[in-house]
């Protein structure tokens, strides 16, 4: 099964701007959605100061919020 | 922990100020902060971009340790010249940011049934309630906020609203002035910072010593970081003590001391003090390590209650005394979860030089491009005991003191109780003083949950409280009395609060 690769920056800059809320959100997803995701952490995605930063299938997104990542992931799951 | 837009703004400002201070470019670049943090195409929370930038200027001044109303360009020059306004109150209201919440205290909701009895109208002493369009209506110009209508409604259709800052303040120190802006009563405020966290407009700030500390670092001084035990989990759930302490050295600190060592010393000293004074000289004793709790006793309770407070210094002060003894010409910087510690430090000039919160030190890391997650763990093993470590959570001080007394086989002498939250602490103190509670040793913490829930934290206290507990079990020394370093220090460090 093709998976969506989600890489969350855990670096200090992103952490200060709320990266943990993104992780909490992804962890709380129902198994039905989670099974499509390959979630991993990163120490830096090289966009410090614009965080929280997330890379989805090699595309970088900045200032991510739980609401924003929900929309991004839902779109990609629909396309699978 | 959800990081709100208000929190992000505060952290962005501090990070940018720290970056410029490290680079020595405050004077040239300070004016750019309002423009880079609030951009033309960014989100709008206020009426206009000008208002947002005006508020941001307030934030920048406080971040530079200057008066809130100072022009940021002047503030940057003063800060660069090492001229700070450190004597002002730690917690202050940003006048531009306070929205003057136009809250009517009692409001009739749609749950009103327009019943026949209309108790609300009958009980209102000011005849402020009438029926309009089949619903009770409160004439706010007549209402004296007595609350009788709310109590009398059988449908609970009348609700009571309050300002977030007023609601969380455990000592009724913040209220609205005639223009509805928040003002803080200095005679009552204990600087716990609860209002700062509660205000959804981010209108309350704590004075920051980020720039004074960076100036000392840039001047090549010998600085020691004293890290409070609540650090566990603050910089990310997987960050180890070794990573954090290495990061602090990269920032410019010569070395790092665990405040847990001071907490071990306090544990031993307070247990001794208890055994020496209770019950012969006094009927009960309270802890003295939480500056918010100390403030509550000093400002809100009678001198008779104050007499029962432990005369032992706090772990912060004990640790600072150790540092100053071992390194006489050094500068001590306490790093913790607490805004009230900034006030406590003022009582110990020459001992505790600066206080920073975890939030502030994290912005300094980012300002100096230090990413704690990328630092290799050097395997640092904590030197403080489990007792020193659990000071960070509610009940920890009491548990440490009680276990120390029990280790001497005297556990039957202590009747302990702990309390967190200012209002509850006040109630418990009054009950003990009146003899209504059979307690002879009380721990008091201003913040609900203890230090892990202070106003300068980075992690949700429900998580960090557990992480503190788990980490405390990995400390090689279990009991404070088995910590030979702490015991050695007690031989020549004066542990008594000066009068």
């Amino acid at each position: 099964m093709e998976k969506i690769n989600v890489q969350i920056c855990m670096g200090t800059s992103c952490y200060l701007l709320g990266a943990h809320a993104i992780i909490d959100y992804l962890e709380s997803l129902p198994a039905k959605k989670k099974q499509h995701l390959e979630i991993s952490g990163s120490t830096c995605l090289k966009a410090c100061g614009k965080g929280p930063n997330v890379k989805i299938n090699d595309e970088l997104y900045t200032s991510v919020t739980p609401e924003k990542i929900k929309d991004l992931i839902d779109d990609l799951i629909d396309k699978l | 922990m959800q990081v709100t837009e208000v929190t992000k703004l505060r952290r962005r400002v501090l990070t940018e100020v720290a970056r410029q201070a490290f680079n020595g470019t405050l004077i040239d670049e300070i004016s750019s902060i309002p423009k880079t943090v609030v951009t033309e195409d960014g989100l709008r929370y206020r009426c206009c971009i000008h208002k947002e930038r005006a508020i941001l200027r307030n934030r920048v001044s406080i971040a530079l340790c200057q008066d809130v109303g100072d022009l940021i360009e002047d503030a940057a020059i003063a800060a660069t010249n090492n001229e700070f306004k450190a004597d002002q109150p730690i917690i202050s209201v940003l006048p531009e940011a306070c929205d003057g919440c136009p809250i009517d205290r009692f409001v009739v909701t749609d749950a009103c049934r327009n019943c026949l009895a209309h108790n609300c109208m009958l009980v209102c002493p000011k005849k402020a309630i009438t029926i309009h369009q089949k619903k009770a209506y409160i004439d706010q110009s007549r209402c004296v906020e007595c609350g009788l209508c709310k109590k009398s409604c059988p449908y609970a259709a009348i609700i009571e609203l309050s300002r977030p800052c007023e609601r969380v303040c455990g000592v009724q120190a913040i209220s609205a002035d005639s223009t509805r802006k928040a003002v803080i009563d200095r005679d009552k405020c204990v600087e716990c910072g609860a209002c700062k966290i509660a205000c959804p407009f981010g209108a309350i700030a704590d004075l920051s010593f980020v720039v004074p500390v960076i100036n000392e670092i840039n001047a090549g001084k010998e600085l020691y970081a004293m890290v409070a035990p609540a650090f566990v989990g603050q910089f990310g759930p997987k960050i180890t003590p070794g990573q954090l302490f290495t990061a602090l050295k990269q920032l410019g600190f010569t070395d790092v001391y665990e405040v847990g060592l001071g907490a071990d010393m306090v544990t031993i000293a307070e247990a001794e003090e208890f055994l020496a004074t209770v019950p012969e000289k006094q009927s009960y004793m309270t802890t003295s390590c939480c500056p918010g709790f100390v403030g509550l006793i000093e400002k809100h309770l009678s001198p008779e209650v104050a007499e029962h407070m432990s005369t032992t210094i706090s772990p912060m002060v004990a640790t600072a005394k150790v540092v100053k003894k071992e390194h006489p010409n050094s500068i001590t910087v306490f790093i913790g979860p607490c805004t009230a510690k900034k006030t406590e430090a003022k009582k110990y000039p020459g001992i505790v030089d600066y206080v920073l919160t975890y939030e502030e030190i994290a912005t300094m890391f980012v300002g100096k491009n230090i990413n704690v997650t990328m630092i290799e763990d050097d395997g640092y093993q904590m030197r403080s005991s489990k007792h020193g470590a659990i000071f960070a959570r509610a009940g920890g001080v009491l548990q440490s003191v009680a276990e120390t007394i029990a280790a001497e086989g005297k556990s039957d002498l202590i009747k302990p109780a702990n309390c967190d939250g200012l209002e509850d602490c006040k109630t418990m103190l009054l009950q003990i003083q009146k003899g209504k509670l059979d307690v002879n040793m009380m721990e008091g913490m201003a913040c609900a949950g203890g230090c892990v829930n202070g106003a300068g934290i980075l992690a949700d206290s429900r998580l960090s409280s557990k992480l503190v507990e788990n980490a405390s079990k990995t400390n090689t020394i279990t009991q404070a009395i088995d910590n030979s370093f702490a015991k050695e220090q007690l031989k020549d460090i004066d542990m008594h609060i000066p009068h």
Side-chain angles (χ1 to χ4, degrees):
Chain A
M1 186 174 71
E2 194 194 343
K3 289 221 177 189
I4 302 162
N5 196 306
V6 185
Q7 212 182 2
I8 306 148
C9 182
M10 313 274 285
T12 307
S13 176
C14 285
Y15 177 76
L16 256 187
L17 298 172
H20 211 74
I22 312 291
I23 300 168
D24 285 347
Y25 170 74
L26 292 174
E27 292 292 331
S28 71
L29 283 176
K32 200 171 69 173
K33 276 191 187 180
K34 226 174 173 176
Q35 62 174 345
H36 298 295
L37 307 178
E38 183 80 50
I39 303 167
S40 61
S42 162
T43 51
C44 187
L45 292 173
K46 307 275 181 285
C48 299
K50 296 178 188 161
N53 300 326
V54 176
K55 229 177 207 180
I56 303 176
N57 288 342
D58 282 327
E59 189 153 348
L60 180 72
Y61 297 91
T62 58
S63 302
V64 176
T65 59
E67 298 78 51
K68 200 163 152 186
I69 200 162
K70 176 186 183 294
D71 292 346
L72 289 167
I73 285 172
D74 284 352
D75 274 359
L76 286 168
I77 290 177
D78 285 346
K79 285 181 199 153
L80 282 177
Chain B
M1 186 155 74
Q2 267 284 16
V3 177
T4 63
E5 290 303 318
V6 165
T7 309
K8 279 184 205 175
L9 263 181
R10 184 174 71 232
R11 291 178 182 175
R12 285 211 171 98
V13 168
L14 275 170
T15 302
E16 211 34 57
V17 165
R19 186 188 313 280
Q20 295 178 9
F22 272 119
N23 294 340
T25 55
L26 278 173
I27 294 173
D28 297 334
E29 293 190 84
I30 202 77
S31 307
S32 71
I33 293 183
K35 291 181 186 119
T36 49
V37 176
V38 176
T39 53
E40 296 281 353
D41 52 355
L43 287 166
R44 283 290 89 79
Y45 306 105
R46 306 284 184 159
C47 55
C48 60
I49 195 166
H50 307 291
K51 171 91 174 164
E52 275 182 29
R53 287 183 176 160
I55 296 167
L56 219 58
R57 288 174 166 270
N58 279 178
R59 288 189 205 290
V60 171
S61 297
I62 283 279
L64 289 165
C65 199
Q66 305 295 331
D67 284 339
V68 67
D70 286 353
L71 268 180
I72 59 172
E73 289 75 12
D74 294 343
I77 293 169
T80 305
N81 294 334
N82 250 335
E83 292 157 10
F84 298 104
K85 293 175 182 154
D87 285 336
Q88 60 181 302
I90 295 299
I91 303 287
S92 59
V93 178
L94 306 179
E96 293 281 357
C98 179
D99 207 50
C101 300
I103 288 176
D104 293 328
R105 183 121 172 232
F106 291 96
V107 178
V108 183
T109 66
D110 287 347
C112 174
R113 299 271 296 109
N114 191 19
C115 64
L116 292 182
H118 37 35
N119 294 331
C120 55
M121 282 175 70
L122 295 177
V123 296
C124 180
K126 294 288 169 191
K127 307 227 176 313
I129 301 184
T130 47
I131 304 292
H132 282 274
Q133 295 176 337
K134 295 183 178 174
K135 198 178 139 189
Y137 167 81
I138 302 173
D139 179 352
Q140 297 293 344
S141 65
R142 291 184 167 195
C143 176
V144 290
E145 304 187 341
C146 68
L148 287 173
C149 56
K150 180 193 167 198
K151 283 187 201 132
S152 74
C153 176
Y155 299 101
I158 298 175
I159 55 163
E160 185 176 356
L161 299 173
S162 57
R163 292 154 185 264
C165 55
E166 282 184 34
R167 194 164 55 235
V168 297
C169 181
V171 288
Q172 286 82 46
I174 192 162
S175 57
D177 67 5
S178 56
T179 64
R180 288 196 138 153
K181 297 262 184 194
V183 281
I184 297 172
D185 183 342
R186 298 295 160 195
D187 294 332
K188 292 181 176 174
C189 177
V190 300
E191 265 110 0
C192 70
C195 54
K196 170 193 154 182
I197 303 301
C199 176
F201 284 92
I204 296 160
D206 54 328
L207 190 64
S208 171
F209 298 93
V210 162
V211 180
V213 171
I214 293 173
N215 283 1
E216 303 278 17
I217 291 173
N218 285 350
K221 299 271 182 66
E222 186 185 5
L223 281 88
Y224 288 88
M226 309 185 290
V227 181
F231 77 89
V232 183
Q234 292 296 328
F235 300 85
K238 289 178 180 158
I239 300 296
T240 62
Q243 283 176 298
L244 176 63
F245 295 177
T246 305
L248 288 168
K249 285 183 233 172
Q250 288 182 4
L251 200 63
F253 287 98
T254 307
D255 210 346
V256 180
Y257 278 76
E258 296 167 30
V259 174
L261 289 169
D264 279 345
M265 293 162 67
V266 168
T267 301
I268 299 168
E270 254 176 30
E272 274 175 16
E273 186 185 355
F274 176 86
L275 290 172
T277 60
V278 180
E280 288 79 14
K281 290 181 185 151
Q282 56 178 346
S283 56
Y284 70 94
M285 184 177 120
T286 75
T287 55
S288 60
C289 49
C290 168
F293 180 67
V294 171
L296 171 76
I297 291 179
E298 288 175 348
K299 293 185 171 180
H300 298 272
L301 287 147
S302 64
E304 289 76 39
V305 175
E307 277 173 15
H308 294 275
M309 195 169 67
S310 163
T311 58
T312 304
I313 52 175
S314 72
M316 168 176 83
V317 179
T319 309
K321 284 187 170 185
V322 171
V323 178
K324 292 282 182 178
K325 189 191 78 179
E326 296 191 343
H327 311 280
N329 297 317
S330 67
I331 289 161
T332 54
V333 183
F334 175 84
I335 298 163
C338 184
T339 49
K341 283 283 177 202
K342 295 182 182 184
T343 308
E344 186 192 345
K346 288 185 191 172
K347 295 181 190 169
Y348 296 91
I351 298 172
V352 183
D353 295 310
Y354 298 105
V355 171
L356 297 171
T357 62
Y358 295 133
E359 183 178 67
E360 287 165 337
I361 202 81
T363 62
M364 287 167 69
F365 286 145
V366 177
K368 213 188 171 183
N369 296 324
I370 294 170
N371 183 341
V372 190
T373 50
M374 290 172 85
I375 291 173
E376 207 173 319
D377 182 20
D378 63 2
Y380 180 91
Q381 178 61 45
M382 295 297 283
R383 294 165 72 198
S384 52
S385 77
K386 179 199 83 180
H387 284 161
I390 60 174
F391 265 57
R393 57 124 174 105
V397 183
L398 192 67
Q399 186 185 331
S400 302
V401 172
E403 284 182 9
T404 306
I405 290 169
E408 292 197 33
K410 293 176 179 167
S411 57
D412 52 326
L413 293 178
I414 182 169
K415 288 176 272 185
N418 72 291
C419 196
D420 48 340
L422 285 167
E423 250 167 310
D424 289 350
C425 282
K426 188 175 176 184
T427 308
M428 185 181 270
L429 280 168
L430 289 172
Q431 286 176 332
I432 297 175
Q433 179 70 14
K434 283 182 190 155
K436 286 184 183 167
L437 263 185
D438 189 21
V439 166
N440 65 8
M441 175 74 206
M442 177 193 166
E443 173 200 294
M445 292 287 163
C447 298
C451 308
V452 288
N453 200 24
I457 55 164
L458 297 167
D460 191 315
S461 64
R462 284 168 297 184
L463 172 68
S464 56
S465 191
K466 282 188 200 119
L467 293 173
V468 161
E469 196 61 22
N470 294 344
S472 74
K473 291 172 186 148
T474 66
N475 287 19
T476 19
I477 308 168
T478 312
Q479 306 267 329
I481 40 166
D482 295 330
N483 188 337
S484 51
F485 177 82
K487 280 204 313 207
E488 196 57 38
Q489 295 299 329
L490 282 170
K491 283 181 190 162
D492 44 24
I493 297 253
D494 179 9
M495 292 295 285
H496 292 282
I497 296 173
H499 288 291

PDB file of all heavy atoms in Angstrom, chain B residues 177-192:
ATOM      1  N   ASP B 177      -9.868  49.259  35.759  1.00  0.00           N
ATOM      2  CA  ASP B 177      -9.998  50.631  36.240  1.00  0.00           C
ATOM      3  C   ASP B 177     -11.208  51.287  35.562  1.00  0.00           C
ATOM      4  O   ASP B 177     -11.990  50.611  34.893  1.00  0.00           O
ATOM      5  CB  ASP B 177      -8.700  51.418  36.007  1.00  0.00           C
ATOM      6  CG  ASP B 177      -8.412  51.648  34.522  1.00  0.00           C
ATOM      7  OD1 ASP B 177      -9.259  51.291  33.679  1.00  0.00           O
ATOM      8  OD2 ASP B 177      -7.327  52.182  34.214  1.00  0.00           O
ATOM      9  N   SER B 178     -11.360  52.598  35.715  1.00  0.00           N
ATOM     10  CA  SER B 178     -12.563  53.257  35.206  1.00  0.00           C
ATOM     11  C   SER B 178     -12.653  53.194  33.677  1.00  0.00           C
ATOM     12  O   SER B 178     -13.717  53.347  33.104  1.00  0.00           O
ATOM     13  CB  SER B 178     -12.591  54.711  35.680  1.00  0.00           C
ATOM     14  OG  SER B 178     -11.398  55.348  35.276  1.00  0.00           O
ATOM     15  N   THR B 179     -11.514  52.967  33.008  1.00  0.00           N
ATOM     16  CA  THR B 179     -11.543  52.854  31.544  1.00  0.00           C
ATOM     17  C   THR B 179     -11.615  51.388  31.101  1.00  0.00           C
ATOM     18  O   THR B 179     -11.425  51.081  29.935  1.00  0.00           O
ATOM     19  CB  THR B 179     -10.293  53.503  30.916  1.00  0.00           C
ATOM     20  OG1 THR B 179      -9.137  52.769  31.349  1.00  0.00           O
ATOM     21  CG2 THR B 179     -10.139  54.948  31.317  1.00  0.00           C
ATOM     22  N   ARG B 180     -11.847  50.512  32.048  1.00  0.00           N
ATOM     23  CA  ARG B 180     -11.972  49.067  31.832  1.00  0.00           C
ATOM     24  C   ARG B 180     -10.658  48.381  31.496  1.00  0.00           C
ATOM     25  O   ARG B 180     -10.627  47.212  31.159  1.00  0.00           O
ATOM     26  CB  ARG B 180     -13.008  48.740  30.739  1.00  0.00           C
ATOM     27  CG  ARG B 180     -14.432  48.989  31.219  1.00  0.00           C
ATOM     28  CD  ARG B 180     -15.428  48.320  30.335  1.00  0.00           C
ATOM     29  NE  ARG B 180     -16.484  47.681  31.134  1.00  0.00           N
ATOM     30  CZ  ARG B 180     -17.713  47.465  30.714  1.00  0.00           C
ATOM     31  NH1 ARG B 180     -18.064  47.797  29.507  1.00  0.00           N
ATOM     32  NH2 ARG B 180     -18.590  46.868  31.477  1.00  0.00           N
ATOM     33  N   LYS B 181      -9.545  49.095  31.574  1.00  0.00           N
ATOM     34  CA  LYS B 181      -8.240  48.456  31.373  1.00  0.00           C
ATOM     35  C   LYS B 181      -7.822  47.768  32.679  1.00  0.00           C
ATOM     36  O   LYS B 181      -8.129  48.263  33.770  1.00  0.00           O
ATOM     37  CB  LYS B 181      -7.179  49.511  31.014  1.00  0.00           C
ATOM     38  CG  LYS B 181      -7.470  50.219  29.701  1.00  0.00           C
ATOM     39  CD  LYS B 181      -6.678  49.622  28.564  1.00  0.00           C
ATOM     40  CE  LYS B 181      -6.920  50.411  27.281  1.00  0.00           C
ATOM     41  NZ  LYS B 181      -6.458  49.741  26.101  1.00  0.00           N
ATOM     42  N   ALA B 182      -7.095  46.665  32.526  1.00  0.00           N
ATOM     43  CA  ALA B 182      -6.660  45.938  33.710  1.00  0.00           C
ATOM     44  C   ALA B 182      -5.559  46.697  34.441  1.00  0.00           C
ATOM     45  O   ALA B 182      -4.672  47.267  33.815  1.00  0.00           O
ATOM     46  CB  ALA B 182      -6.151  44.565  33.311  1.00  0.00           C
ATOM     47  N   VAL B 183      -5.657  46.714  35.765  1.00  0.00           N
ATOM     48  CA  VAL B 183      -4.580  47.276  36.588  1.00  0.00           C
ATOM     49  C   VAL B 183      -4.241  46.281  37.695  1.00  0.00           C
ATOM     50  O   VAL B 183      -5.114  45.568  38.188  1.00  0.00           O
ATOM     51  CB  VAL B 183      -4.941  48.640  37.234  1.00  0.00           C
ATOM     52  CG1 VAL B 183      -4.811  49.762  36.246  1.00  0.00           C
ATOM     53  CG2 VAL B 183      -6.314  48.601  37.860  1.00  0.00           C
ATOM     54  N   ILE B 184      -2.978  46.251  38.060  1.00  0.00           N
ATOM     55  CA  ILE B 184      -2.520  45.306  39.077  1.00  0.00           C
ATOM     56  C   ILE B 184      -2.252  46.056  40.381  1.00  0.00           C
ATOM     57  O   ILE B 184      -1.560  47.073  40.389  1.00  0.00           O
ATOM     58  CB  ILE B 184      -1.234  44.582  38.612  1.00  0.00           C
ATOM     59  CG1 ILE B 184      -1.544  43.758  37.350  1.00  0.00           C
ATOM     60  CG2 ILE B 184      -0.688  43.688  39.723  1.00  0.00           C
ATOM     61  CD1 ILE B 184      -0.320  43.145  36.693  1.00  0.00           C
ATOM     62  N   ASP B 185      -2.827  45.555  41.460  1.00  0.00           N
ATOM     63  CA  ASP B 185      -2.610  46.134  42.785  1.00  0.00           C
ATOM     64  C   ASP B 185      -1.316  45.541  43.349  1.00  0.00           C
ATOM     65  O   ASP B 185      -1.257  44.359  43.690  1.00  0.00           O
ATOM     66  CB  ASP B 185      -3.801  45.795  43.693  1.00  0.00           C
ATOM     67  CG  ASP B 185      -3.672  46.424  45.079  1.00  0.00           C
ATOM     68  OD1 ASP B 185      -2.541  46.816  45.451  1.00  0.00           O
ATOM     69  OD2 ASP B 185      -4.697  46.513  45.786  1.00  0.00           O
ATOM     70  N   ARG B 186      -0.282  46.380  43.399  1.00  0.00           N
ATOM     71  CA  ARG B 186       1.045  45.890  43.803  1.00  0.00           C
ATOM     72  C   ARG B 186       1.078  45.365  45.237  1.00  0.00           C
ATOM     73  O   ARG B 186       1.921  44.542  45.578  1.00  0.00           O
ATOM     74  CB  ARG B 186       2.089  46.998  43.655  1.00  0.00           C
ATOM     75  CG  ARG B 186       2.250  47.475  42.233  1.00  0.00           C
ATOM     76  CD  ARG B 186       2.796  46.362  41.356  1.00  0.00           C
ATOM     77  NE  ARG B 186       2.518  46.643  39.949  1.00  0.00           N
ATOM     78  CZ  ARG B 186       2.602  45.751  38.980  1.00  0.00           C
ATOM     79  NH1 ARG B 186       2.937  44.498  39.271  1.00  0.00           N
ATOM     80  NH2 ARG B 186       2.339  46.064  37.746  1.00  0.00           N
ATOM     81  N   ASP B 187       0.187  45.904  46.093  1.00  0.00           N
ATOM     82  CA  ASP B 187       0.179  45.440  47.487  1.00  0.00           C
ATOM     83  C   ASP B 187      -0.361  44.020  47.600  1.00  0.00           C
ATOM     84  O   ASP B 187      -0.195  43.363  48.616  1.00  0.00           O
ATOM     85  CB  ASP B 187      -0.661  46.375  48.362  1.00  0.00           C
ATOM     86  CG  ASP B 187      -0.020  47.755  48.449  1.00  0.00           C
ATOM     87  OD1 ASP B 187       1.224  47.817  48.330  1.00  0.00           O
ATOM     88  OD2 ASP B 187      -0.750  48.753  48.613  1.00  0.00           O
ATOM     89  N   LYS B 188      -1.055  43.562  46.536  1.00  0.00           N
ATOM     90  CA  LYS B 188      -1.645  42.230  46.592  1.00  0.00           C
ATOM     91  C   LYS B 188      -0.936  41.214  45.695  1.00  0.00           C
ATOM     92  O   LYS B 188      -0.934  40.021  45.976  1.00  0.00           O
ATOM     93  CB  LYS B 188      -3.116  42.304  46.164  1.00  0.00           C
ATOM     94  CG  LYS B 188      -4.017  43.049  47.142  1.00  0.00           C
ATOM     95  CD  LYS B 188      -5.451  43.031  46.621  1.00  0.00           C
ATOM     96  CE  LYS B 188      -6.402  43.684  47.620  1.00  0.00           C
ATOM     97  NZ  LYS B 188      -7.757  43.789  47.041  1.00  0.00           N
ATOM     98  N   CYS B 189      -0.370  41.679  44.573  1.00  0.00           N
ATOM     99  CA  CYS B 189       0.199  40.767  43.567  1.00  0.00           C
ATOM    100  C   CYS B 189       1.410  40.015  44.111  1.00  0.00           C
ATOM    101  O   CYS B 189       2.281  40.590  44.751  1.00  0.00           O
ATOM    102  CB  CYS B 189       0.601  41.574  42.334  1.00  0.00           C
ATOM    103  SG  CYS B 189       1.389  40.577  41.056  1.00  0.00           S
ATOM    104  N   VAL B 190       1.446  38.700  43.852  1.00  0.00           N
ATOM    105  CA  VAL B 190       2.594  37.886  44.279  1.00  0.00           C
ATOM    106  C   VAL B 190       3.426  37.426  43.075  1.00  0.00           C
ATOM    107  O   VAL B 190       4.294  36.565  43.195  1.00  0.00           O
ATOM    108  CB  VAL B 190       2.153  36.689  45.147  1.00  0.00           C
ATOM    109  CG1 VAL B 190       1.438  37.173  46.397  1.00  0.00           C
ATOM    110  CG2 VAL B 190       1.264  35.723  44.371  1.00  0.00           C
ATOM    111  N   GLU B 191       3.130  37.985  41.898  1.00  0.00           N
ATOM    112  CA  GLU B 191       3.902  37.736  40.669  1.00  0.00           C
ATOM    113  C   GLU B 191       3.946  36.277  40.215  1.00  0.00           C
ATOM    114  O   GLU B 191       4.947  35.819  39.673  1.00  0.00           O
ATOM    115  CB  GLU B 191       5.332  38.287  40.821  1.00  0.00           C
ATOM    116  CG  GLU B 191       5.482  39.673  40.255  1.00  0.00           C
ATOM    117  CD  GLU B 191       5.681  40.739  41.310  1.00  0.00           C
ATOM    118  OE1 GLU B 191       5.709  40.384  42.507  1.00  0.00           O
ATOM    119  OE2 GLU B 191       5.778  41.921  40.946  1.00  0.00           O
ATOM    120  N   CYS B 192       2.873  35.531  40.446  1.00  0.00           N
ATOM    121  CA  CYS B 192       2.857  34.125  40.012  1.00  0.00           C
ATOM    122  C   CYS B 192       2.714  34.009  38.506  1.00  0.00           C
ATOM    123  O   CYS B 192       3.073  32.995  37.913  1.00  0.00           O
ATOM    124  CB  CYS B 192       1.727  33.365  40.698  1.00  0.00           C
ATOM    125  SG  CYS B 192       0.069  33.831  40.136  1.00  0.00           S
TER     126      CYS B 192
END
